[in-house]
Amino acid sequence: KLPYFQHSLELLLHSVLEEEATSKDPIPDALLPSVVDFIRSFPVYRETVVRCTRKTEVALWPYLFAAVGSPKDLFSDCLEMGELNTASSYLLVLQSLEPASVARQHATQLLDAALDS
């Protein structure tokens, strides 16, 4: 087992995201899609993405979610896979992006999943 592997994936994602999302010039061969595809091949994908998200400025989130997918979909995937701790982290992200009523619905879904498990 590689104890720092997931953290390395998170640092990779974060550094490429910061570099590309804040670039003043267009990036002809953007690395972010390839990095996301690479990280997606590991079971820690959703957790890695949300950890990176929470360490990234909100202004860069649209760039990140354009590459990794909708945070709502990632939240739902976490619920389906039983990754409730990771889903709770996405809940914090969704609260920043969604109206309170929608965030409340997501919180209810998470609570229901926790009670069912």
Side-chain angles (χ1 to χ4, degrees):
K1 184 170 180 172
L2 302 170
Y4 300 107
F5 182 69
Q6 183 177 357
H7 185 67
S8 298
L9 294 175
E10 184 183 333
L11 289 174
L12 173 64
L13 180 60
H14 189 266
S15 62
V16 172
L17 170 66
E18 290 275 325
E19 181 73 26
E20 292 185 4
T22 60
S23 176
K24 303 280 188 228
D25 302 318
I27 300 173
D29 295 321
L31 287 176
L32 189 60
S34 296
V35 168
V36 169
D37 285 343
F38 175 69
I39 296 171
R40 192 175 275 133
S41 66
F42 298 99
V44 294
Y45 171 70
R46 288 173 292 279
E47 186 177 358
T48 302
V49 168
V50 78
R51 285 181 174 187
C52 178
T53 303
R54 295 194 53 212
K55 292 177 178 122
T56 302
E57 294 177 42
V58 175
L60 303 183
W61 286 7
Y63 193 87
L64 174 63
F65 289 119
V68 299
S70 158
K72 285 185 201 179
D73 292 343
L74 292 167
F75 173 79
S76 295
D77 292 346
C78 289
L79 292 181
E80 287 176 27
M81 299 299 289
E83 299 169 358
L84 302 185
N85 286 336
T86 304
S88 67
S89 294
Y90 276 105
L91 191 59
L92 295 171
V93 171
L94 291 168
Q95 287 177 331
S96 298
L97 298 173
E98 302 290 339
S101 61
V102 175
R104 193 173 301 112
Q105 289 173 341
H106 292 301
T108 302
Q109 287 178 313
L110 178 58
L111 180 59
D112 288 343
L115 292 173
D116 289 343
S117 65

